[in-house]
Amino acid sequence: MLAVHLISFFFSKLKEDPTKKVDRFLYAMRLHDDQLSDISARFQAEMKKGLSAESNAAAAVKMLPTHVRSTPDGSEKGQFLALDIGGSKFKVLQVKVREGIGIRKGGVEMEEKTYPMPKELLIGKGSELFDHVSESLKDFMQEKSISMEKKHPLAFTFSFPCEQTTLDQGMLLSWSKNYRARGLQGKDVVQALREAIDRTGGMDIDVSAMVNDTVATMMTCGFDDRYCEVGLIIGTGTNACYMEELRHVDLVEGDEGRMCVNTEWGAFGDDGALNDYITQFDRDVDAASVNPGKQIFEKMVSGMYLGELVRLVVLKMAKRGLLFDGSVSNALRTKGRITTADVAAMEQYKNGLNNTRDILMALDLNPSHDDCIAVQHVSTIVSFRSSNLVAAGLAAILTRIKQNRNLRSLRITVGVDGTVYKTHPQYPKRLHKVVRRLLPECHVRFVLSDSGSSKGAALVTAVAQRLASLKRQVVETLSPFRLNQAQLQLVKARMREGLEAGLKMKGSSTVKMLPSFVYHTPDGTEHGKYLALDLGGTNFRALLVKFKKGLQQNARLYHKIYTIPLETMQGTGEELFDHIAQCVSDFLDYMGMKNAHLPAGFTFSFPCEQTAIDTGTLVTWTKGFKATDCEGHDVVSMLREAIKRRNEYNLDIVAVVNDTVGTMMSCAYEDPRCEVGLIAGTGTNVCYMEELKNIQKTKENTGTMKRDDGIPEGEQQDDGTEREKKEGDAEISKMCINTEWGGLGDDGSLDDIATPYDKEVDQNSINPGKQRFEKLTSGMYLGEIVRQVVLDLTRGGLLFRGHVTEPLKTPGIFQTKFLSQIESDRLALLQVRSILQQLGLDSTCHDSIIVKEVCKAVSHRAAQLCGAGMAAVVDKIRENRGLDHLKITVGVDGALYKLHPHFSQVLQKTARGLAPQCDVTFMPSEEGSGKGAALITAVAKQNQP
Ligand code: BG6
Ligand code: BG6
Ligand code: GLC
Ligand code: GLC
């Protein structure tokens, strides 16, 4: 007896453990840690590829920006309807976030109903699918007595890959899982839903946000755990999202902060990246799916496929005689007969083997005990491979987050949902264990989403709603800055009236139209050495300019820049001119030319009434200058007197020139078509070549025309003879007019376009009521307009959380150079935030976006207004000359034109649009107006008797 027992014991030991043959058979599905690390590294490379603008189009893993910029921050509230499509259940819900509850934790109430989703709808017409969705929504509202009259915001969880440019829009890239309804691919599914809701009728629904289930899951879990920055689904399908640094998301503008990226990792392997890990069973599952070749990773991992993988393995083993003594049933041959629920049941702790037997018997098989052990082991290998692959993917994401943040270790929470994770008894534990083994340095917590994705979707919608209402209010505030074509035409017409009135009027007019006594643009014969002084822009400059005789367009410049302190700009006239004389002294020392007695041209960028090239009576200070005892005086005399007071060097001041005129001359030296000068800098102004016959006021003022040599035409010279006609005299038919267009509107003619902010800026300036056009368009004022708007938005609670700080109340903090930086396209948000920080303003990402919007609106209007003014000027020149078409060049200078990223384009576009009969070329001045002043000096000097 004992011997029999021993023999049978001996044979039972000889008989192979049934799991061993399965292990051998499924060798390729059992992944070791080094293989998992390899897969993880491959997935990291795929993520990079998907994020980069260059490689995204060809990338299998799409890395879709979601426009969700933060995890819940506790400020979300409201009442929302929600739709949840794409998982194993289609649900309609009502979600209340902190409505009358007032506490953070548990501050969400939900009611939900699961509706059937008939199979034929999944593969029918897209519009019918959405009709069913919207009819279910209506049914839900009726059942829950939700008002049909009131407007309801709706959160939409749509668990498929969508390309989003905003939260409330999403183009379906491709269907996945078991959906393939026609006519929706490549279309905006939010729009499709809205249309279906309209067709159903009787509801007032605002689809405010659409989110993927991964994103919604991350947000759901993030509500209670602020470390939750990853969302993971292991359900019908599989996917993950995480918070990526915006600077790495090429497809979205901006670089500051983070954005949730929906990886769509189910498509990992679609380009062959996993080929060496794919088994024959995976190939068979793929070939029999609705989307062959697509979602390769998903097909190795998710609930829709696990049961099928097990069935195919068992079938093949049976066929090979490794199971059921080689017998196979029809049921076992039928697709879908083993489900993921079966897989979970087979792996139950206690009842697993019994469950396996029941499942196999239901398939008309007659399993032995060993067969049951073997089939259970097949299940384990298939589901273990799934959790291993998910662990590899997660390890890649967590490694990336860790590297992004430059951390050695990482504390992070992963929010998880999906039937596989929720119902498979061993899955979560295995997954957690492998992730921790692959990333020992990370502290990873897994949190199961307690209430599905709709809670998270509602949180996203709450933020979207708040932002949308904020945006509406900002748009409303900025709307008076947006000028339409008709308004710009009006500005052009008013500028034209201003030009005409200024030419005719003897006394003061808003557009002063001051004669410059410059009759010619340069002809290239200018030569010699000249000093040029340049006062009135951002800085004072002293220059030495050398023109080589006979060599056209050959000038050499040496210059030095001096700042003029505010107290000097606004002190006494004597102090101001003494300061200039001192700067000149320093420059002459610097050049070693103290004794040269050079001829000098004086660029003086303020309105001067001139009766000759070398005299100019300051009409009024503009921009930031307000020195006493200057208005009404000849500035050339004041400069001469200051030099005399120094008694140190001599200068022969031959010409006084406005900066517009200097700029026009500078550019005309290069391009003879240049007959207009434009400044868009601290101030704004234009000069142009006007017909002498139109310049009434010069005749009235002086009785006779004086020429740039100072000698009236036909007058007798000292020797009694009439002055000889010089070469070119006959051609004198034009004179450059300094328009001083900055004064347009000083009679109220621009009041209809000025905003309350402009009025405030004018009132707070040193010359209220004056230079109204300049105050809408030039560098000295744009920052102040921006500050007024920002102040107002802050007071209204739309910016800086409503905190009006001291810096914000300080005039002049927004210098125009900041506007240029703020509006530059690259590094924009980073710059905005650091600039605002410098100004003592602690801004969020959204504050920065709004401030940038304000800057854009203000500078865009400025450029348009200058463009409209320019259209009036060039059209006038064209009409003066009786031409249908005029080709002309405008010489331009000024920091706003040169440094602002968009000003010049908008100005040019507007001018061309409003003066279609003129072909206007804009030419930035290379060396400022000093060279032009020197050219004028050269001509005047050559003509001196
Ligand atoms: C649910 C979500 O909880 O999980 C769904 O609300 C999601 O939106 C689902 O798609 C994923 O799991 P399954 O197993 O239903 O596909
Ligand atoms: C300079 C001219 O280049 O541009 C100055 O030489 C002029 O005369 C100036 O006033 C205008 O620009 P801004 O930006 O300095 O006012
Ligand atoms: C599929 C979808 C994806 C979704 C996932 C989980 O992979 O493409 O968008 O997140 O299933 O439901
Ligand atoms: C102011 C001055 C004007 C000057 C302009 C640009 O408008 O009044 O003379 O040309 O600024 O500097």
Side-chain angles (χ1 to χ4, degrees):
M1 194 62 195
L2 182 67
V4 173
H5 266 109
L6 275 175
I7 290 164
S8 83
F9 176 75
F10 179 74
F11 274 104
S12 78
K13 278 285 144 193
L14 266 188
K15 208 172 92 197
E16 196 187 32
D17 174 354
T19 60
K20 290 272 174 353
K21 64 179 173 196
V22 176
D23 282 345
R24 265 200 310 278
F25 194 71
L26 291 182
Y27 177 77
M29 279 197 182
R30 297 169 59 222
L31 302 171
H32 313 295
D33 280 5
D34 47 351
Q35 290 173 302
L36 294 181
S37 297
D38 172 44
I39 292 170
S40 190
R42 291 188 200 187
F43 187 60
Q44 273 196 63
E46 290 295 315
M47 286 200 284
K48 253 196 187 157
K49 204 166 155 190
L51 285 171
S52 134
E54 288 96 62
S55 47
N56 174 272
V61 177
K62 283 292 172 217
M63 305 296 283
L64 301 166
T66 64
H67 298 271
V68 169
R69 291 172 188 265
S70 62
T71 49
D73 69 357
S75 66
E76 303 81 3
K77 59 179 186 357
Q79 227 179 85
F80 308 91
L81 287 167
L83 290 172
D84 184 348
I85 308 175
S88 50
K89 289 177 187 163
F90 159 46
K91 290 191 224 168
V92 185
L93 306 92
Q94 188 178 32
V95 188
K96 295 179 185 170
V97 185
R98 281 192 205 89
E99 284 289 274
I101 299 169
I103 38 167
R104 192 175 191 278
K105 235 181 180 176
V108 177
E109 272 180 18
M110 292 174 49
E111 277 193 276
E112 65 172 59
K113 187 173 171 189
T114 300
Y115 284 84
M117 180 58 89
K119 269 212 171 95
E120 58 276 15
L121 284 182
L122 304 185
I123 51 170
K125 264 170 88 175
S127 55
E128 285 167 12
L129 172 71
F130 276 100
D131 281 343
H132 171 66
V133 170
S134 88
E135 277 152 24
S136 306
L137 173 66
K138 190 168 182 181
D139 175 80
F140 179 81
M141 290 173 75
Q142 280 162 343
E143 192 181 306
K144 304 286 174 195
S145 307
I146 296 169
S147 159
M148 292 285 174
E149 275 74 47
K150 264 178 63 186
K151 194 180 190 90
H152 299 279
L154 182 134
F156 183 24
T157 305
F158 185 70
S159 309
F160 300 95
C162 289
E163 197 172 274
Q164 294 187 272
T165 48
T166 56
L167 266 175
D168 61 353
Q169 163 280 345
M171 189 185 79
L172 177 65
L173 290 177
S174 57
W175 284 115
S176 51
K177 299 175 278 195
N178 49 350
Y179 279 68
R180 52 169 175 157
R182 294 189 301 280
L184 283 176
Q185 220 161 289
K187 299 269 165 57
D188 177 6
V189 283
V190 176
Q191 191 51 31
L193 174 61
R194 285 187 187 128
E195 284 164 13
I197 290 171
D198 282 350
R199 280 197 296 276
T200 304
M203 299 173 277
D204 192 358
I205 303 289
D206 173 17
V207 188
S208 317
M210 190 193 78
V211 289
N212 186 262
D213 52 355
T214 52
V215 182
T217 298
M218 178 188 80
M219 295 296 281
T220 298
C221 299
F223 192 65
D224 295 318
D225 181 339
R226 68 191 176 91
Y227 290 103
C228 183
E229 295 191 80
V230 180
L232 170 65
I233 300 283
I234 316 155
T236 315
T238 183
N239 192 10
C241 72
Y242 71 102
M243 295 304 290
E244 175 60 90
E245 308 301 309
L246 198 52
R247 64 177 188 277
H248 295 153
V249 186
D250 279 7
L251 302 177
V252 177
E253 195 200 327
D255 39 38
E256 177 86 344
R258 294 182 183 148
M259 183 176 281
C260 179
V261 168
N262 166 15
T263 64
E264 284 295 330
W265 78 11
F268 179 27
D270 288 10
D271 56 358
L274 290 173
N275 278 0
D276 44 341
Y277 289 104
I278 283 170
T279 64
Q280 185 54 46
F281 307 108
D282 298 309
R283 275 186 214 106
D284 291 348
V285 164
D286 178 45
S289 68
V290 297
N291 50 352
K294 298 265 186 283
Q295 301 291 100
I296 296 300
F297 185 72
E298 181 159 87
K299 286 170 186 165
M300 299 164 91
V301 167
S302 80
M304 218 181 119
Y305 311 96
L306 290 186
E308 197 51 14
L309 281 169
V310 170
R311 183 185 71 84
L312 292 175
V313 175
V314 171
L315 179 63
K316 190 147 193 188
M317 287 183 76
K319 280 184 179 166
R320 293 237 178 127
L322 294 168
L323 287 172
F324 322 124
D325 286 332
S327 70
V328 173
S329 67
N330 276 340
L332 185 62
R333 283 200 188 92
T334 311
K335 186 181 166 197
R337 283 300 298 268
I338 297 183
T339 64
T340 301
D342 294 334
V343 175
M346 289 193 256
E347 290 180 63
Q348 286 280 335
Y349 284 117
K350 285 188 186 147
N351 297 327
L353 272 182
N354 284 341
N355 291 346
T356 308
R357 176 181 302 278
D358 293 347
I359 289 162
L360 293 174
M361 299 218 353
L363 292 173
D364 307 327
L365 296 163
N366 193 13
S368 66
H369 183 66
D370 279 2
D371 286 338
C372 291
I373 292 176
V375 171
Q376 186 186 45
H377 198 55
V378 170
S379 256
T380 304
I381 289 179
V382 169
S383 67
F384 221 127
R385 183 183 67 154
S386 162
S387 62
N388 277 343
L389 289 171
V390 170
L394 255 188
I397 290 177
L398 299 179
T399 304
R400 183 166 172 92
I401 295 177
K402 193 165 63 102
Q403 284 168 356
N404 277 345
R405 302 181 191 176
N406 234 341
L407 298 170
R408 261 199 268 137
S409 69
L410 177 71
R411 173 176 180 178
I412 199 154
T413 299
V414 179
V416 200
D417 207 343
T419 35
V420 174
Y421 187 85
K422 283 198 289 202
T423 58
H424 190 288
Q426 343 258 0
Y427 202 100
K429 254 197 209 153
R430 291 179 190 157
L431 172 68
H432 305 171
K433 206 168 151 188
V434 180
V435 169
R436 287 173 189 144
R437 206 166 63 221
L438 292 177
L439 294 176
E441 70 284 12
C442 292
H443 180 79
V444 190
R445 181 170 175 240
F446 290 83
V447 172
L448 177 68
S449 158
D450 52 355
S451 38
S453 64
S454 292
K455 178 166 143 186
L459 294 172
V460 173
T461 308
V463 174
Q465 276 232 311
R466 199 183 63 218
L467 294 181
S469 123
L470 194 85
K471 199 169 168 190
R472 266 197 304 279
Q473 291 178 67
V474 172
V475 166
E476 228 164 78
T477 306
L478 295 179
S479 71
F481 288 95
R482 314 227 185 266
L483 302 177
N484 57 33
Q485 256 340 78
Q487 286 172 303
L488 291 172
Q489 285 286 6
L490 256 174
V491 172
K492 178 190 170 191
R494 286 172 193 163
M495 183 61 83
R496 179 65 186 262
E497 283 162 25
L499 299 175
E500 301 296 351
L503 281 176
K504 291 201 182 85
M505 220 175 300
K506 190 179 167 205
S508 64
S509 55
T510 60
V511 181
K512 296 185 188 66
M513 303 298 279
L514 302 168
S516 70
F517 292 84
V518 169
Y519 300 92
H520 287 293
T521 49
D523 62 7
T525 61
E526 300 78 7
H527 60 273
K529 268 189 223 162
Y530 305 92
L531 193 70
L533 310 176
D534 187 350
L535 178 74
T538 318
N539 296 301
F540 172 70
R541 295 208 301 168
L543 305 89
L544 181 75
V545 191
K546 290 184 192 169
F547 301 106
K548 277 208 182 142
K549 197 171 185 174
L551 274 176
Q552 198 172 340
Q553 294 165 357
N554 192 347
R556 294 187 71 176
L557 265 85
Y558 308 87
H559 81 270
K560 213 171 159 185
I561 291 175
Y562 301 87
T563 51
I564 306 224
L566 189 70
E567 56 276 20
T568 312
M569 277 157 70
Q570 300 186 355
T572 68
E574 224 176 80
E575 280 162 4
L576 174 64
F577 281 93
D578 281 345
H579 180 74
I580 295 169
Q582 190 207 318
C583 297
V584 175
S585 160
D586 174 83
F587 181 68
L588 291 174
D589 279 337
Y590 170 71
M591 296 300 301
M593 300 184 93
K594 227 11 174 318
N595 302 318
H597 196 151
L598 290 168
F602 183 21
T603 303
F604 185 72
S605 310
F606 301 94
C608 284
E609 200 80 71
Q610 288 189 258
T611 51
I613 191 71
D614 61 351
T615 64
T617 305
L618 175 63
V619 182
T620 175
W621 282 118
T622 54
K623 301 178 278 194
F625 282 73
K626 213 187 177 168
T628 55
D629 303 321
C630 295
E631 290 176 355
H633 296 273
D634 174 19
V635 292
V636 177
S637 308
M638 281 192 280
L639 180 57
R640 283 189 186 129
E641 279 156 26
I643 293 170
K644 213 189 241 164
R645 274 196 297 278
R646 267 196 97 78
N647 195 20
E648 201 192 344
Y649 58 89
N650 271 321
L651 278 191
D652 177 12
I653 303 168
V654 180
V656 59
V657 183
N658 187 264
D659 52 356
T660 51
V661 183
T663 299
M664 177 188 80
M665 294 296 277
S666 236
C667 294
Y669 190 60
E670 318 288 332
D671 175 357
R673 275 191 210 278
C674 181
E675 295 186 88
V676 182
L678 164 68
I679 299 287
T682 315
T684 181
N685 193 12
V686 155
C687 72
Y688 71 100
M689 297 305 289
E690 177 57 276
E691 308 301 310
L692 266 185
K693 62 179 191 295
N694 291 341
I695 311 175
Q696 299 285 330
K697 96 202 276 174
T698 318
K699 289 179 190 157
E700 285 161 18
N701 279 352
T702 60
T704 40
M705 295 293 297
K706 279 186 168 184
R707 299 160 38 126
D708 50 0
D709 50 13
I711 301 171
E713 248 175 271
E715 202 168 88
Q716 289 207 334
Q717 299 186 118
D718 290 347
D719 59 4
T721 59
E722 213 174 77
R723 181 185 157 280
E724 245 180 73
K725 258 196 171 182
K726 285 190 178 173
E727 199 187 332
D729 272 5
E731 291 157 26
I732 292 179
S733 60
K734 295 186 178 71
M735 189 201 277
C736 178
I737 290 287
N738 164 17
T739 65
E740 288 293 329
W741 78 0
L744 183 75
D746 290 5
D747 56 357
S749 71
L750 293 176
D751 284 3
D752 53 345
I753 61 160
T755 67
Y757 309 109
D758 297 308
K759 288 170 192 151
E760 195 72 26
V761 169
D762 176 45
Q763 284 309 311
N764 295 341
S765 70
I766 58 172
N767 52 352
K770 296 272 187 293
Q771 299 292 99
R772 298 300 304 275
F773 185 72
E774 182 159 83
K775 285 173 186 163
L776 302 177
T777 51
S778 82
M780 198 171 149
Y781 306 97
L782 298 192
E784 266 308 276
I785 304 173
V786 167
R787 188 180 67 89
Q788 290 296 340
V789 179
V790 166
L791 202 55
D792 192 35
L793 291 174
T794 309
R795 286 188 178 129
L798 301 173
L799 266 178
F800 307 125
R801 296 174 198 86
H803 293 318
V804 177
T805 47
E806 276 311 309
L808 206 49
K809 289 193 246 166
T810 315
I813 52 155
F814 280 106
Q815 292 172 28
T816 303
K817 66 174 182 201
F818 293 148
L819 255 72
S820 295
Q821 289 171 13
I822 285 173
E823 289 185 54
S824 77
D825 295 328
R826 289 300 305 156
L827 298 177
L829 281 185
L830 199 70
Q831 300 250 6
V832 180
R833 251 176 117 176
S834 83
I835 290 163
L836 296 178
Q837 227 132 41
Q838 277 172 41
L839 304 179
L841 303 170
D842 189 15
S843 69
T844 62
C845 198
H846 266 283
D847 290 335
S848 311
I849 291 169
I850 292 174
V851 172
K852 187 172 174 180
E853 277 301 303
V854 176
C855 293
K856 270 188 182 167
V858 171
S859 68
H860 192 263
R861 181 188 64 162
Q864 283 185 316
L865 289 172
C866 279
M870 183 52 73
V873 172
V874 289
D875 252 354
K876 173 159 176 59
I877 299 174
R878 182 181 60 77
E879 286 172 30
N880 278 346
R881 299 179 191 177
L883 298 172
D884 273 345
H885 190 85
L886 172 75
K887 193 167 165 57
I888 197 161
T889 298
V890 177
V892 201
D893 209 341
L896 189 58
Y897 187 91
K898 284 184 164 171
L899 303 181
H900 190 281
H902 309 298
F903 187 92
S904 59
Q905 284 120 290
V906 178
L907 180 143
Q908 293 180 21
K909 190 168 160 237
T910 312
R912 287 176 186 143
L914 292 176
Q917 287 164 276
C918 299
D919 174 359
V920 192
T921 304
F922 288 82
M923 175 177 183
S925 144
E926 293 288 329
E927 291 113 349
S929 65
K931 184 167 100 183
L935 284 164
I936 293 166
T937 308
V939 175
K941 192 70 196 163
Q942 280 159 32
N943 287 338
Q944 267 179 2

